[in-house]
């Protein structure tokens, strides 16, 4: 477990540089989740560290496999200085603990909801999980372990989350693209959904 997290942190440092801050959160009955903050010019990136320590288990499985299964960490990127986004640390840790707490597999296209604003006055209480392989390359582990995927999180307004439930993740991403939505703007409004 510790070896996997050391490799994950090394991959994050290679891709994003040195973190300028980190915080740890532990929820009852779960492993410790850290959130690392990386500042890159006008952007702030938050990455979880700890979610990949164990593989995510199929909630219908009788026994969770301690070695095989998907592994992931979450990455959120926002524009710096527009909102108090450092308050996202606890909500990110909550999202990263979801596989342990709720027994779900976090995968691209999924919606994750924290039930409150991601940071003070944020218009977002949920995120869309995007495809890995962009900003931080997947981390291959020794067989038979699955690679660690670094999944970008795209904040959604409540209207966007409701629209996504009906029309799907791809349709929402296409709508964002068609309207030139700046998904890194921590104060952005909902994309037009009519």
């Amino acid at each position: 477990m510790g070896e996997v997290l050391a490799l994950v942190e090394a991959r994050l440092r290679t891709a994003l540089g040195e973190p300028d801050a980190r915080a740890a959160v532990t929820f009852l009955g779960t492993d410790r989740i850290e959130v690392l903050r990386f500042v890159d010019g006008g952007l702030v990136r938050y990455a979880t560290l700890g979610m990949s320590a164990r593989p995510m288990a199929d909630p219908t499985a009788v026994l969770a496999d301690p070695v095989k299964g998907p592994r992931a960490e979450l990455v959120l990127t926002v524009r710096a200085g527009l909102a108090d986004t450092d308050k996202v640390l606890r909500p990110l840790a909550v999202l990263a603990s979801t596989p342990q707490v709720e027994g779900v597999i976090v995968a691209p296209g999924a919606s994750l909801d924290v039930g409150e604003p991601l940071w003070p006055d944020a218009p977002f209480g949920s995120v869309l999980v995007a495809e890995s392989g962009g900003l931080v390359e997947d981390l291959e582990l020794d067989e038979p372990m699955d690679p660690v995927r670094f999944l970008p999180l795209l904040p959604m307004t409540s209207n966007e989350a409701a629209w996504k439930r009906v029309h799907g993740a791809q349709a929402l991403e296409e709508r964002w693209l068609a309207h030139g939505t700046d998904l890194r703007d921590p104060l952005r409004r909902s994309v037009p959904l009519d």
Side-chain angles (χ1 to χ4, degrees), residues 66-84:
V67 177
K68 294 170 82 175
R71 294 174 189 257
E73 296 291 352
L74 308 176
V75 181
L76 173 70
T77 303
V78 293
R79 297 209 177 280
L82 301 177
D84 187 9

Side-chain angles (χ1 to χ4, degrees), residues 2-178:
E3 182 182 324
V4 169
L5 294 184
L7 293 170
V8 168
E9 184 167 356
R11 175 59 53 95
L12 287 169
R13 287 172 185 266
T14 300
L16 305 176
E18 287 299 311
D20 74 334
R22 66 193 307 148
V25 180
T26 305
F27 303 103
L28 188 63
T30 67
D31 294 329
R32 172 181 152 135
I33 302 286
E34 287 189 87
V35 180
L36 283 58
R37 182 180 72 186
F38 302 85
V39 178
D40 179 15
L43 298 176
V44 181
R45 302 185 199 284
Y46 301 94
T48 62
L49 179 62
M51 181 177 171
S52 62
R54 301 172 193 264
M56 292 181 273
D58 181 339
T60 62
V62 177
L63 287 174
D65 190 315
V67 177
K68 294 170 82 175
R71 294 174 189 257
E73 296 291 352
L74 308 176
V75 181
L76 173 70
T77 303
V78 293
R79 297 209 177 280
L82 301 177
D84 187 9
T85 56
D86 282 349
K87 297 287 196 294
V88 78
L89 301 178
R90 184 170 177 75
L92 269 182
V94 168
L95 295 178
S97 67
T98 301
Q100 286 183 56
V101 174
E102 297 181 20
V104 298
I105 294 177
V106 176
S111 299
L112 301 174
D113 193 329
V114 293
E116 61 185 33
L118 291 173
W119 52 82
D121 301 320
F124 321 105
S126 61
V127 293
L128 175 64
V129 180
E131 291 287 341
S132 68
L135 182 64
V136 183
E137 286 184 35
D138 294 347
L139 173 64
E140 296 294 329
L141 299 174
D142 293 337
E143 290 288 335
M145 293 187 283
D146 289 20
V148 176
R149 307 210 182 281
F150 297 88
L151 302 171
L153 300 180
L154 308 175
M156 293 188 293
T157 64
S158 57
N159 287 345
E160 289 168 341
W163 197 85
K164 182 252 174 198
R165 280 192 293 278
V166 174
H167 300 280
Q170 184 176 349
L172 178 59
E173 290 184 59
E174 288 170 2
R175 187 158 287 258
W176 281 335
L177 191 58

Side-chain angles (χ1 to χ4, degrees), residues 157 159-160 163 171-172 175-176 178-181 188-194:
T157 64
N159 287 345
E160 289 168 341
W163 197 85
L172 178 59
R175 187 158 287 258
W176 281 335
H179 288 274
T181 306
R188 76 171 179 84
R189 298 193 181 282
S190 184
V191 71
L193 298 170
D194 44 5

